[in-house]
Amino acid sequence: MFNQIRWQSGCAAFMALGITAGAIAPLVTAAPSFAQTTFSDVSSNYWAAQFIQELSQRGVIAGFPDGSFRPEEAVTRAQFAAMIRKAFNKSPKRQVVGFYDVPSNYWAYTAIQEAYTTGFLAGYPGNRFEPNQNIPREQVLVSLANGLEYSASGQADSTLQYYSDSVNISSYARTPIAAATEKEIVVNYPNVKFLNPKATATRSQVAAFIYQALVSNNQASAINSPYIAKVGEPIPVAITIPQGTVIPVKYDKAEKILVTKDETAPLTLAVSQNVVTDTGSVVIPVGSQVVGKLKPAKGGSQFVAEKLILTNGQEYQINAASEVISKTETIKKGTSTGAIVKNTVLGAGAAAAVAAVTGDRAVATEEVLGGAAIGSLIGLFFGKKSVDLIAIDPDTDLQMTIGQNFQVSLK
C-alpha cells in the first residue's frame, strides 16, 4: 500500500449574569475592560474551554466572584435571554408584549422583551414566559435558528438522521434544529451524534451554541472542535501504516544535538515530508509532530518516539525509533563554550559535561533540551580534561522507522 521507493518504507451569567443556585436575583455587572477569560473550574483541555474563553472575552458571559465558571450549572430562560441580548444586535421585528410573569421591575425584563421582539424567544399559552424555567437544549437551538432567521435547505428529517436520537426531537423543533445543524451551530459532547434534545442546557453548552451561532453569522472566527455537528462530513476511514515505514523528520531549533551516551533527553521533532499511500492519500502530513526521547542504546543514542500529533490535532501512540547514533565529538579543556553551543542544543548531561570540562558554566537554559537544570550534574565530570559526547545531526540522523503497524483515521 505504501510506495517503498518514494517513502523508503520497508513494507508495502453568566455574570453579565451570575446566578447562584436558589438565588432569587442574579448579580448583574457590567463587562469589565479586561474580561476574565480563565476560570478555576475550566481547565485548558476542557471540551468547551475555547468557547467559554472567547465569549467571556466579548463580555457575553462571565464567571462568579469566587473565580469559577460552573460550566455544568443549568441555564434558565431569563439567563439565556440576557446572554442573547449581549451576543446579538438585531432590530425588532414584532411588537412588545407583556408577560404576566415578567413584571417591569424583574431583573431580566429588558432582555426578555428584546429576545421576544427580535424573534429569538417566544412565550407560552396564557401570556407566560416562565423566566425561571431551565431551558432545554432543543429550545436553545430553536431560539438561535429562529432569531437568526435560518431555514433548512434540505429535508429536515434527512438532516436530522445525523443524530442517533433524532426521534426524541420535539415536532416544533425539528425544522429549526435541522437549520441550526446545517449552519454548524450544534455542539454535542462527548458524542457528536447524540443530541440529547430535551436535556437541560448547561452554561458550557449554551456558550458553545451561542459562539457557533456567532460564527455562522460571520461575527466570530471558527473554532476547531471535534464536537461540532457537521452534516455531510465524510466518514473517517482507518488506514494502516505498515511496520517499516520511514518517517522523515527535522529539528528546526538547532543544527546539532549533543548528549552523553548515558542520558535520556526529551525531544520533539517535526515531520519534514508528507507520508502518503501509493494512491496519494496523505496519512502523516508535513508539519506533524513526533514527541519522544533520546535514549542510551548500544553505546550511543537513539530517538524513541512516543506520540504522533497530526496537524489536525489527532494524537496517536506510536512505536518508532531512529537508528543508533554513535558519532562523537570530543570536548576538551580550554575549548570555547561559545563555539561548542553555536547552533547546538545539549542534553542536561552534555551541558554539565561542557560546563565542567571547559570551566564555563554559562550554558543558557534555552540551549538545554527540556530546559533542564544542570547544576547537580556538573560534579559527575569534575577533574576531567576531555569528554566524548554523542553528536547528532537531527535532519539526517533521526529519521525513524515504524516498529509495528498502526492505524490513523482519514476523512
Side-chain angles (χ1 to χ4, degrees), residues 13-19 26 28-29 39 51-64 69-71 73-90 107-115 118 120-121 129 131 135 140 143-144 148 201-214 219:
F14 305 137
M15 236 166 76
L17 38 111
I19 289 193
V28 181
T29 64
F39 304 96
F51 300 111
I52 293 168
Q53 179 181 13
E54 292 291 341
L55 280 193
S56 61
Q57 184 67 49
R58 290 166 173 257
V60 175
I61 56 176
F64 291 84
F69 182 77
R70 305 178 196 175
E73 197 165 279
V75 177
T76 67
R77 282 168 53 83
Q79 290 174 326
F80 180 65
M83 293 185 72
I84 290 296
R85 186 186 186 205
K86 290 271 189 180
F88 302 99
N89 183 20
K90 281 199 66 186
W107 70 269
Y109 174 82
T110 302
I112 290 170
Q113 290 295 335
E114 287 188 15
T118 53
F120 279 99
L121 287 169
F129 185 79
I135 192 166
V140 172
S143 167
L144 294 171
L148 296 173
T202 65
R203 283 167 58 85
S204 57
Q205 292 167 0
V206 172
F209 291 157
I210 289 181
Y211 188 82
Q212 285 302 107
L214 290 169
Q219 292 180 252

Side-chain angles (χ1 to χ4, degrees), residues 52-283:
I52 293 168
Q53 179 181 13
E54 292 291 341
L55 280 193
S56 61
Q57 184 67 49
R58 290 166 173 257
V60 175
I61 56 176
F64 291 84
D66 63 359
S68 68
F69 182 77
R70 305 178 196 175
E72 303 305 317
E73 197 165 279
V75 177
T76 67
R77 282 168 53 83
Q79 290 174 326
F80 180 65
M83 293 185 72
I84 290 296
R85 186 186 186 205
K86 290 271 189 180
F88 302 99
N89 183 20
K90 281 199 66 186
S91 299
K93 67 177 188 178
R94 55 189 178 189
Q95 295 297 313
V96 172
V97 298
F99 295 110
Y100 90 85
D101 54 353
V102 184
S104 59
N105 62 349
Y106 183 67
W107 70 269
Y109 174 82
T110 302
I112 290 170
Q113 290 295 335
E114 287 188 15
Y116 176 80
T117 59
T118 53
F120 279 99
L121 287 169
Y124 290 98
N127 221 28
R128 295 174 297 113
F129 185 79
E130 300 290 352
N132 297 319
Q133 180 186 83
N134 290 340
I135 192 166
R137 284 167 53 86
E138 66 178 2
Q139 197 176 112
V140 172
L141 295 170
V142 169
S143 167
L144 294 171
N146 288 345
L148 296 173
E149 301 180 58
Y150 290 153
S151 300
S153 61
Q155 289 292 324
D157 286 346
S158 176
T159 299
L160 296 178
Q161 286 178 4
Y162 178 90
Y163 304 110
S164 60
D165 58 342
S166 62
V167 295
N168 296 330
I169 302 173
S170 300
S171 57
Y172 82 90
R174 297 185 71 81
T175 298
I177 289 179
T181 301
E182 290 177 3
K183 291 291 187 177
E184 298 185 4
I185 294 174
V186 184
V187 185
N188 297 326
Y189 173 86
N191 181 353
V192 72
K193 295 291 187 74
F194 186 67
L195 183 63
N196 205 8
K198 290 183 169 56
T200 295
T202 65
R203 283 167 58 85
S204 57
Q205 292 167 0
V206 172
F209 291 157
I210 289 181
Y211 188 82
Q212 285 302 107
L214 290 169
V215 171
S216 74
N217 205 35
N218 296 317
Q219 292 180 252
S221 300
I223 285 174
N224 183 20
S225 168
Y227 306 112
I228 299 170
K230 296 183 179 182
V231 175
E233 280 280 286
I235 298 172
V237 176
I239 298 292
T240 298
I241 302 178
Q243 177 182 353
T245 298
V246 171
I247 303 178
V249 292
K250 63 180 180 177
Y251 184 70
D252 291 330
K253 296 181 179 180
E255 297 174 3
K256 181 170 62 177
I257 300 172
L258 295 177
V259 292
T260 68
K261 63 183 177 63
D262 299 317
E263 75 173 299
T264 297
L267 187 64
T268 298
L269 303 172
V271 176
S272 59
Q273 299 177 51
N274 288 333
V275 176
V276 302
T277 67
D278 55 3
T279 61
S281 297
V282 177
V283 290

Side-chain angles (χ1 to χ4, degrees), residues 1 234-240 281 283 314 316 407-411:
M1 185 176 185
I235 298 172
V237 176
I239 298 292
T240 298
S281 297
V283 290
Q314 289 178 298
Y316 300 92
Q407 288 189 335
V408 297
S409 294
L410 298 185
K411 291 186 177 181

